[in-house]
Amino acid sequence: MKAAVTLKTGKGFTTTEIRIADPIGREVLVDVKASGLCLTDHSLMANDFGFPLPAVFGHELAGVVTAVGPDVTEFQVGDHVVGCLVQWCGRCQPCIEGIQTDCLNPLAVERSAGEEPRLVGSDGPIYQGMGLGGFAEKALVHENQLARVNDEIPFSRAALLGCGTVTGAGAVINSAKVAPGDTVAVIGTGGVGLNAIAAARLAGAKTIIAVDIQDTKLDMATRFGATHVVNSRNTDPVEEIRRISGGGVDYAFEIIGLPATQMQAIAAAKTSGTAVLVGMGKPGAKIEIETSAAFLATHKTIKAVMMGSTNLKRDIPFYADMYVAGRYNLDDLVTNEISIDEIDEAYDSLASGTVIRSVITRF
Ligand code: APR
Ligand code: ZN
Ligand code: ZN
């Protein structure tokens, strides 16, 4: 099959022919119809994080089931499915409690060292990124990492559900539990932030304040449900959020990963409000908080969240249904549809600020 393989760190994605194994145990073979280009995959290609190379990255995939292993119970040939990078065993205590993101044994969903590798190239085994390897015509995935979605959602939209949507929307719905009438600020309205805004609208937030430094992103934010926009290049976002919300918001989401904007989120939360930290800081990044009586008297909560605390079997079908019902905007997230040999160019175009997500739909 055709796959876009990362051969060496920093050398991009090279389309080549590789072999994919047949499903065993609880594995599902998926004919990939759409695969999103998350920045994380670019980062995995450009930096050495210790993952073996060559590798097939790509973790935002949607497609059709074409074969199932003998122990698969949940999927059948023809099902439309979406992959998710959350790896969970289903047996440990957090998994039993439904908190898949806290699984203690995530690698249980990959093949073990003694087994035939899922992907093999002319020079030997190829590493399958995050147990998915979505930059390819086919993906062989453990059933725990797949969710079934309704047949009406286009694959190019469904592909985004497993990463950007569960992360941004999950922070709002699962972690913060935003309720009707709440006030919300979202600092950083890129691919993940726009999903947080869409979810805040879905949850019934009264006021949704989008903060970014790019006007193109803020224009986009209004299409997802922002009621107010603040360009923090020109204006102090904390003062502006306080002014709009009348003293601070119930929930301030930081979706960039910078200490300065994390501090803005903490400052923009109202007394007894919550700052939700979604953006990943660089290793070693820190924030400093004064712990004087004045701060304690704010009764604020600072909440960390990873992958939107998602339960992927529950959340992915839910967002797909909301999209089909016209209640969740995914269309405006997909700005480019590309072919599998255009990944390098598509990542380069992200810098322009007009691209939210490129999705491979031609293999
Ligand atoms: N102030 C306000 N907005 C900013 C600033 C800043 N100082 N710096 C960057 N931004 C905006 C950008 O203009 C962009 O719209 O933040 C947004 C980031 O969006 P993307 O680059 O599309 O990133 P995204 O995929 O949304 O991920 C954001 O969430 O889950 C995490 O790892 C992910 O840390 C990353 C974050
Ligand atoms: Zn991602
Ligand atoms: Zn587990």
Side-chain angles (χ1 to χ4, degrees):
M1 68 162 180
K2 208 189 276 179
V5 182
T6 296
L7 298 165
K8 288 207 170 83
T9 299
K11 297 291 179 206
F13 302 88
T14 306
T15 308
T16 181
E17 284 293 319
I18 65 168
R19 267 188 298 122
I20 188 162
D22 292 327
I24 56 170
R26 295 178 63 199
E27 291 174 345
V28 176
L29 187 64
V30 179
D31 184 7
V32 179
K33 299 289 189 190
S35 194
L37 268 59
C38 179
L39 267 181
T40 302
D41 291 314
H42 185 268
S43 186
L44 291 173
M45 175 280 291
N47 304 284
D48 182 3
F49 288 109
F51 292 110
L53 293 178
V56 176
F57 294 118
H59 61 271
E60 294 189 343
L61 66 94
V64 180
V65 173
T66 54
V68 295
D71 303 326
V72 169
T73 53
E74 200 185 329
F75 299 100
Q76 291 179 344
V77 171
D79 283 350
H80 291 204
V81 291
V82 169
C84 184
L85 68 158
V86 175
Q87 299 188 302
W88 58 289
C89 73
R91 296 207 174 109
C92 70
Q93 194 61 30
C95 279
I96 290 165
E97 291 169 11
I99 313 166
Q100 299 163 352
T101 47
D102 293 354
C103 175
L104 303 173
N105 190 20
L107 293 182
V109 295
E110 295 194 5
R111 285 195 181 180
S112 53
E115 288 172 314
E116 178 202 355
R118 286 181 184 159
L119 303 177
V120 179
S122 51
D123 293 331
I126 296 184
Y127 177 69
Q128 182 194 31
M130 300 177 183
L132 294 168
F135 291 162
E137 282 181 290
K138 291 175 187 170
L140 187 58
V141 182
H142 191 284
E143 63 176 335
N144 282 7
Q145 279 190 266
L146 293 171
R148 187 166 173 232
V149 293
N150 67 64
D151 293 355
E152 288 123 275
I153 180 169
F155 293 110
S156 62
R157 276 49 179 167
L160 305 187
L161 295 173
C163 179
T165 299
V166 296
T167 301
V172 170
I173 292 176
N174 300 332
S175 315
K177 300 192 168 46
V178 169
D182 283 345
T183 54
V184 166
V186 176
I187 303 174
T189 60
V192 179
L194 291 172
N195 275 292
I197 291 172
R201 170 158 71 182
L202 189 63
K206 177 176 67 177
T207 306
I208 305 171
I209 307 165
V211 179
D212 204 285
I213 48 174
Q214 295 187 69
D215 284 328
T216 48
K217 297 292 172 72
L218 292 170
D219 290 344
M220 198 55 96
T222 59
R223 303 170 72 110
F224 285 78
T227 58
H228 301 76
V229 297
V230 177
N231 187 323
S232 55
R233 235 186 231 299
N234 320 320
T235 323
D236 178 341
V238 176
E239 266 177 35
E240 205 45 22
I241 292 168
R242 286 214 188 105
R243 190 186 64 75
I244 295 165
S245 59
V249 284
D250 292 300
Y251 299 98
F253 296 87
E254 196 278 353
I255 315 195
I256 307 159
L258 298 174
T261 42
Q262 289 168 340
M263 291 305 287
Q264 289 170 3
I266 295 166
K270 71 174 192 185
T271 300
S272 293
T274 303
V276 186
L277 306 186
V278 182
M280 257 181 272
K282 292 209 169 83
K286 290 189 178 69
I287 51 171
E288 237 175 26
I289 297 166
E290 191 183 327
T291 51
S292 64
F295 178 72
L296 299 188
T298 66
H299 288 112
K300 292 187 189 188
T301 302
I302 301 170
K303 224 172 177 353
V305 53
M306 186 68 166
M307 289 307 294
S309 316
T310 192
N311 178 315
L312 70 98
K313 301 281 187 189
R314 173 197 63 197
D315 294 348
I316 290 175
F318 168 62
Y319 297 126
D321 289 347
M322 289 298 98
Y323 168 84
V324 170
R327 295 170 65 190
Y328 196 96
N329 186 0
L330 294 171
D331 292 330
D332 289 320
L333 291 174
V334 182
T335 44
N336 280 355
E337 295 196 23
I338 63 162
S339 104
I340 190 168
D341 41 29
E342 294 171 328
I343 299 176
D344 291 323
E345 294 87 328
Y347 274 123
D348 289 343
S349 71
L350 269 178
S352 71
T354 51
V355 175
I356 306 290
R357 259 296 186 279
S358 299
V359 178
I360 305 165
T361 50
R362 298 186 297 277
F363 291 85

